[in-house]
Amino acid sequence: MRTKTVRVLLVEDDDGDALLVEALLEEANAPFVLSRAETLAEAERLLPDAECVLLDLGLPDSHGLAGLHRLLAKPNAPAILVLTGHDDDSEGIAAVAAGAEDFLIKGKVDGELLLRGVRYAVERRRAEDAQRQLREAELLGAERARLERGLLPPPLLRNSDVDHEVRYQPGGQRMLLGGDFYDAVGLPDGTVHAIIGDVCGHGPDEAALGVCLRIAWRALVLAGEPAEKVLKTLDQVLVAERHGEGIFTTACMITVAPDRRSARYFLAGHPEPLMMVGDQIVDLPKSKIGVPLGVLPDYAWTGVDVPLPSGWSLACYTDGLIEGRVPDDVDRLGVERLCEILAVHLRNGPSWMDSVIAEVTELNGGALDDDVAILLLKDGK
């Protein structure tokens, strides 16, 4: 079996000791690439190209374990073996405790022992890196699951004649949820409430704030708070819970009447919902978008009433769906172009969300920068 070449960095200021190490490795007939640094500063520059470091503890710019600590503190530090002339068990124990893979004494190690130490150290470091990456992946998965439960819960529409579909796509390459959230709740009298929102920014703080607002909204709706007051209360919650003065949230809230003949929606700096009947997009009344939550104290949001024809559906979405780039165009996609795309996919059938997101992503030339969330409510009669 062919043995893989190992890239070794020798940190040694003594020319004689350096020649001895090279001779030992050649004696072992090992495939290796040996580079040398005579100072710790030089070693730090060469460190990214090394798989294993043989480190002397007595250097012109470093003495004792200080150099070991400096190299181990570097990002993605390779395996490090201490190779010193000091036969001191206590120092060896301290070096290994600090993170060295082994502690070898000059003059007491032959080529085979040195080679074995290098290879074992490299493989141990690879195994440690693999375990760390696995733990990070598990933690990332657990974090994603917690955020999904908080931001994207199953809507409470049991025994309701209003159907729903939802989609969520994280922006860029993050693979983590941002501050987009949605929810829908059906009340005993038949009223259906829904919300979709977008906390400005990305990261765990924004996601946590989105979870807070989504849970507060569900609690307010289940408690029977009038729709006109829900956004005002959410605004107070946002101001109390946000982690920065300039943090705001856009939202679209919809209330569907028990007879399913009308709906009222409220906009807080958020894109209007889209109404569809069959394969046609129906224009909604021109409405005041309103300011986002967290911008103006004591602002009052007003609702827009719309009739619902038979076979209606209402799509609420976050602005990640309309802010992608368009080839040969300096502007973002925008609502008008989104409607053109949607009109084509509606003619191909009711399951349009995935295909629309895919086309918008393709027009953008790759993953969308912002998260995309869609909540679709449909007449289930």
Side-chain angles (χ1 to χ4, degrees):
M1 183 176 65
R2 184 177 180 182
T3 305
K4 184 179 178 181
T5 300
V6 179
R7 301 188 306 277
V8 178
L9 172 61
L10 174 62
V11 187
E12 173 62 72
D13 64 322
D14 187 281
D15 292 338
D17 287 343
L19 287 173
L20 176 62
V21 171
E22 185 172 1
L24 289 174
L25 289 173
E26 289 178 347
E27 172 190 312
N29 195 27
F32 67 92
V33 175
L34 182 66
S35 56
R36 179 187 171 194
E38 297 185 26
T39 65
L40 193 68
E42 187 180 0
E44 289 175 319
R45 292 194 297 271
L46 298 175
L47 200 64
D49 295 326
E51 294 176 277
C52 183
V53 176
L54 298 175
L55 175 66
D56 185 24
L57 296 182
L59 298 168
D61 56 349
S62 175
H63 297 279
L65 298 181
L68 174 63
H69 288 293
R70 277 175 58 180
L71 294 186
L72 287 172
K74 296 296 182 182
N76 302 314
I80 300 178
L81 282 79
V82 171
L83 182 61
T84 180
H86 300 288
D87 190 354
D88 185 340
D89 287 342
S90 62
E91 189 174 45
I93 292 171
V96 173
E101 300 290 340
D102 207 343
F103 186 86
L104 303 176
I105 309 300
K106 296 174 183 177
K108 291 188 176 183
V109 59
D110 59 18
E112 288 296 333
L113 181 59
L114 180 58
L115 176 62
R116 188 180 304 118
V118 168
R119 290 204 177 281
Y120 286 1
V122 170
E123 292 306 318
R124 279 196 299 270
R125 180 50 57 93
R126 287 174 179 165
E128 291 168 0
D129 289 344
Q131 286 295 323
R132 186 188 71 255
Q133 291 169 6
L134 178 60
R135 287 194 299 271
E136 290 174 353
E138 290 172 344
L139 290 172
L140 191 65
E143 180 183 359
R144 181 181 176 86
R146 287 193 297 272
L147 290 173
E148 282 180 344
R149 288 194 298 271
L151 289 168
L152 316 176
L156 293 178
L157 294 177
R158 293 184 295 270
N159 302 318
S160 173
D161 58 357
V162 174
D163 296 331
H164 74 280
E165 289 186 50
V166 293
R167 294 293 188 276
Y168 178 84
Q169 177 176 287
Q173 306 299 322
R174 288 185 299 275
M175 297 308 295
L176 274 177
L177 295 151
D180 289 11
F181 62 92
Y182 56 70
D183 203 353
V185 172
L187 298 183
D189 67 354
T191 303
V192 169
H193 297 278
I195 191 171
I196 193 164
D198 184 1
V199 180
C200 69
H202 296 285
D205 290 333
E206 287 74 14
L209 183 56
V211 172
C212 175
L213 293 173
R214 204 271 317 158
I215 293 174
W217 178 86
R218 179 175 281 200
L220 290 166
V221 169
L222 289 174
E225 185 79 1
E228 291 75 9
K229 295 183 179 180
V230 169
L231 284 179
K232 193 171 184 63
T233 306
L234 284 184
D235 181 69
Q236 296 172 350
V237 172
L238 170 63
V239 171
E241 298 292 335
R242 64 188 177 186
H243 52 280
E245 188 68 26
I247 302 298
F248 64 87
T249 297
T250 68
C252 172
M253 187 175 67
I254 295 178
T255 298
V256 180
D259 61 9
R260 310 301 181 233
R261 295 180 180 177
S262 66
R264 173 174 292 179
Y265 67 88
F266 299 78
L267 300 178
H270 201 86
E272 275 189 324
L274 299 175
M275 180 186 288
M276 291 146 286
V277 178
D279 61 358
Q280 300 296 314
I281 301 174
V282 179
D283 290 334
L284 293 175
K286 294 298 181 181
S287 59
K288 184 179 179 181
I289 292 180
V291 302
L293 303 174
V295 174
L296 292 178
D298 300 322
Y299 184 85
W301 288 269
T302 57
V304 178
D305 293 315
V306 294
L308 297 178
S310 178
W312 60 268
S313 61
L314 287 167
C316 310
Y317 58 93
T318 55
D319 60 8
L321 191 62
I322 57 174
E323 289 192 343
R325 295 290 183 183
V326 180
D328 304 321
D329 197 332
V330 296
D331 296 326
R332 300 288 184 173
L333 181 76
V335 177
E336 184 176 346
R337 184 69 182 275
L338 173 65
C339 289
E340 293 174 1
I341 294 171
L342 176 58
V344 173
H345 290 280
L346 284 174
R347 290 195 289 270
N348 296 329
S351 300
W352 54 265
M353 286 194 286
D354 291 329
S355 56
V356 167
I357 292 174
E359 182 168 345
V360 170
T361 302
E362 183 179 356
L363 286 172
N364 189 61
L368 297 167
D369 295 333
D370 201 0
D371 306 326
V372 172
I374 303 176
L375 171 62
L376 180 67
L377 301 176
K378 299 185 290 184
D379 184 2
K381 293 181 179 179

